[in-house]
Amino acid sequence: MPLVVEILLILLGVVLLVLALIGSGISRRLMTIPKMHRTPRIVLASLGVLLLAGGMWGASIESEEHGPSLADLKSHIPPDVMADLSCTEAAESPKGAVQMECATENSVPEFAWYIMFPDVNSMHEYWTKQVSPGDLPGNKCDTMDDYTKGSKHEYYLSDPAVTVGDQACYTSGSNIGVMYTDRRFNIVVQAVISDPQNFSDFHSWVDETSQPEGDSDAAPATPSHTAAARR
């Protein structure tokens, strides 16, 4: 249903509940409104609850339906990634998002994930919770040492004045990993390897192959709390 229909259902439900409340005689100051019998009050209240619940449920479904689709996400995954890795829809995704996971035996990277969110704020919140950037002391992701100590930074593509997203690199157990955001398309990219000898190829893949594709003129959005912190 269109969102306007759900809003009307919610408003009508509230009106019926108010009428049932007034009809109960709870406000005797409104002497022009006679006290309503019990049965009509119950009917009005029941209808009000049903309409209110139906409108709220419909609104929540409408919100979910307007989230990104798998086709939306696939359109941004680079052809070389789709060709070199076996990519399938993930069994589970963050709330409101859609996710593809890619892996091929003996590949570099060994595993990669592309996750598309409905907006830049939910994307950035997910990235922040996953990497805890405040715990990463470094400020670049260029060398194995940067990954070993853990680093995070904002990055750009061609214009140094335009921040495209945030990147974090780290090691976790035997895994060497990177997770970055793309504010143009609300996409998080994560990839890992386990063999340090593949670091050079992995680093090249991250910088040259993994970047989501799309409208080259798309303007990156700025997460609201990041913008507020800069004021």
Side-chain angles (χ1 to χ4, degrees):
M1 290 184 293
L3 185 58
V4 66
V5 175
E6 282 114 25
I7 293 175
L8 288 175
L9 289 177
I10 292 172
L11 291 176
L12 184 55
V14 171
V15 169
L16 292 179
L17 287 173
V18 170
L19 288 175
L21 188 63
I22 293 176
S24 69
I26 192 170
S27 179
R28 300 312 297 157
R29 295 177 183 177
L30 300 175
M31 301 305 294
T32 57
I33 302 178
K35 183 175 181 180
M36 192 180 300
H37 291 294
R38 184 171 182 271
T39 299
R41 291 202 318 269
I42 293 175
V43 171
L44 283 176
S46 299
L47 286 174
V49 169
L50 287 174
L51 290 174
L52 187 61
M56 294 179 67
W57 176 80
S60 67
I61 295 299
E62 186 79 13
S63 176
E64 290 179 3
E65 289 178 350
H66 281 79
S69 68
L70 189 62
D72 293 331
L73 176 56
K74 284 183 176 180
S75 70
H76 293 292
I77 300 179
D80 286 346
V81 173
M82 297 289 283
D84 295 340
L85 300 175
S86 175
C87 298
T88 58
E89 183 179 7
E92 295 184 7
S93 302
K95 184 178 180 180
V98 62
Q99 180 175 187
M100 292 281 288
E101 51 188 15
C102 306
T104 299
E105 189 175 357
N106 300 321
S107 65
V108 175
E110 293 165 28
F111 297 96
W113 297 265
Y114 284 79
I115 314 170
M116 191 174 193
F117 291 82
D119 56 76
V120 69
N121 288 322
S122 58
M123 175 200 70
H124 194 269
E125 181 181 1
Y126 176 82
W127 178 83
T128 300
K129 286 182 178 179
Q130 294 298 309
V131 302
S132 300
D135 297 333
L136 304 176
N139 57 12
K140 60 181 181 176
C141 292
D142 295 332
T143 67
M144 187 65 208
D145 285 343
D146 295 332
Y147 279 68
T148 299
K149 68 182 178 183
S151 299
K152 83 285 185 181
H153 65 100
E154 294 182 344
Y155 73 92
Y156 63 91
L157 295 179
S158 57
D159 185 352
V162 179
T163 298
V164 173
D166 301 270
Q167 184 177 44
C169 53
Y170 56 88
T171 56
S172 178
S174 62
N175 289 328
I176 301 164
V178 66
M179 178 181 281
Y180 69 85
T181 67
D182 191 318
R183 298 181 183 179
R184 299 171 301 170
F185 312 119
N186 302 326
I187 289 176
V188 169
V189 180
Q190 182 180 14
V192 298
I193 57 172
S194 60
D195 188 347
Q197 293 184 5
N198 292 329
F199 176 76
S200 179
D201 290 340
F202 178 63
H203 184 61
S204 296
W205 182 88
V206 171
D207 284 355
E208 301 170 10
T209 306
S210 70
Q211 197 73 43
E213 294 203 340
D215 181 5
S216 59
D217 295 326
T222 302
S224 58
H225 60 281
T226 302
R230 290 176 177 172
R231 293 194 186 104

